[in-house]
Amino acid sequence: MNTLNQTEQVQDDAEDLSQRRIRSFVLRQGRLTKGQARALETGFPQFGVNYAPELLNLNALFNRADSKKILEIGFGMGETTAKIAQVLPDCDFLAAEVHTPGVGALLKLIQENELNNIRVIQHDVVEVLHNMVADGSLDGVHIFFPDPWHKKRHHKRRLIQAEFVQLLCTKLKAGGYLHVATDWQEYAEWVLEVLNAEAQLENTAQDYAVKPSYRPLTKFENRGLKLGHGVWDMVFTRK
Ligand SMILES: C[S@@+](CC[C@H](N)C(=O)[O-])C[C@H]1O[C@@H](n2cnc3c(N)ncnc32)[C@H](O)[C@@H]1O
């Protein structure tokens, strides 16, 4: 192991010991653009949800009862979230992300596109699910390009793990869906194995699914596809 790896290992171990749970993200100081800062200030009061260990009333949050309620996990800069919310106006999206610039960016998109069907929460989604989302209340869960945590010793940080998938299943309605997409083949195989092993889930495809039309191709993904890189979608439903 070289010195850099040793330092990383020590940092990893220290973090693991200091936390009750291994997290799927590392918080980095991110620079906010002026637009993102303004959107946080003006948009969060209307479209933001503060973390609190109390169950959310999703119908009240979106001010309608007849819509499908979808949780998006780790929306990054929110481009995909905003596009999907536009093409699926009958669905409401609770979008979770931990990084402040991303939260500002999505709030900016919500304001620019006058979207009423997104609410944003800045918190670890594992805690949000445990403490704020009622059992059997979600029609769908979107997880697009979760951090692949390439190194073997970091695999424990991967969001998609048996225990996490079980938690998602308790929050999904019967017939609700879980859609995961990744551009890292080894992680795709890992995700497929974990989802196949969960007895409460059923694959909608033989293995990988055809990309559902609501998920837009991002610039990054398009570039990768042109270079011959793959993207794998997996769509499972809750029995
Ligand atoms: C690789 S990025 C993908 C972003 C976006 N979905 C996309 O397709 O561009 C993964 C994101 O998941 C977020 N994330 C990871 N673990 C999370 C957690 N436990 N709760 C909320 N967000 C999380 C990270 O902060 C990061 O922005």
Side-chain angles (χ1 to χ4, degrees):
M1 204 186 279
N2 64 33
T3 317
L4 185 63
N5 278 340
Q6 267 171 352
T7 312
E8 280 179 19
Q9 181 71 61
V10 170
Q11 280 170 348
D12 279 354
D13 292 347
E15 189 176 3
D16 293 346
L17 287 173
S18 70
Q19 292 175 347
R20 284 203 317 273
R21 194 171 49 73
I22 295 162
R23 296 193 191 281
S24 55
F25 58 89
V26 174
L27 269 187
R28 286 188 195 85
Q29 213 68 25
R31 217 175 240 284
L32 277 179
T33 65
K34 278 196 186 131
Q36 289 163 0
R38 202 174 316 113
L40 274 167
E41 208 175 291
T42 58
F44 197 84
Q46 194 179 354
F47 301 106
V49 178
N50 285 307
Y51 174 79
E54 285 162 21
L55 282 188
L56 282 170
N57 177 336
L58 292 175
N59 289 340
L61 181 65
F62 291 97
N63 218 7
R64 55 178 177 172
D66 54 352
S67 56
K68 294 212 183 300
K69 303 296 192 288
I70 315 287
L71 172 69
E72 181 174 344
I73 298 176
F75 59 76
M77 299 306 275
E79 303 99 329
T80 296
T81 322
K83 282 192 185 143
I84 295 181
Q86 271 173 322
V87 299
L88 300 178
D90 295 334
C91 296
D92 288 321
F93 298 88
L94 177 62
E97 176 52 67
V98 288
H99 285 289
T100 309
V103 173
L106 179 54
L107 288 168
K108 189 163 175 282
L109 289 170
I110 291 173
Q111 291 179 321
E112 284 167 357
N113 296 290
E114 297 180 8
L115 299 171
N116 267 317
N117 56 343
I118 302 177
R119 297 293 180 273
V120 182
I121 186 158
Q122 183 174 13
H123 199 79
D124 183 350
V125 79
V126 178
E127 289 180 9
V128 172
L129 279 161
H130 273 296
N131 300 320
M132 295 184 78
V133 177
D135 289 354
S137 65
L138 297 175
D139 295 278
V141 175
H142 292 172
I143 309 178
F144 300 142
F145 305 98
D147 300 294
W149 290 107
H150 304 103
K151 292 178 186 168
K152 197 161 194 304
R153 69 185 163 84
H154 284 156
H155 286 181
K156 60 189 174 207
R157 290 189 178 279
R158 287 179 166 175
L159 186 65
I160 312 291
Q161 310 275 355
E163 196 187 336
F164 180 68
V165 171
Q166 239 174 49
L167 175 63
L168 290 178
C169 285
T170 63
K171 304 301 170 181
L172 278 169
K173 291 177 184 168
Y177 70 92
L178 168 61
H179 178 182
V180 183
T182 179
D183 58 356
W184 187 253
Q185 185 168 6
E186 187 265 321
Y187 196 22
E189 287 161 11
W190 166 295
V191 174
L192 195 61
E193 196 177 316
V194 174
L195 300 189
N196 273 329
E198 173 50 64
Q200 297 174 82
L201 290 176
E202 194 162 22
N203 198 347
T204 61
Q206 191 61 28
D207 40 43
Y208 300 107
V210 174
K211 182 183 82 60
S213 58
Y214 59 77
R215 187 176 75 71
L217 276 187
T218 60
K219 263 184 262 167
F220 167 79
E221 186 178 352
N222 225 346
R223 209 180 313 138
L225 288 172
K226 279 186 189 148
L227 290 170
H229 302 161
V231 171
W232 294 268
D233 284 81
M234 286 155 274
V235 185
F236 280 64
T237 50
R238 162 92 159 76
K239 289 180 192 162

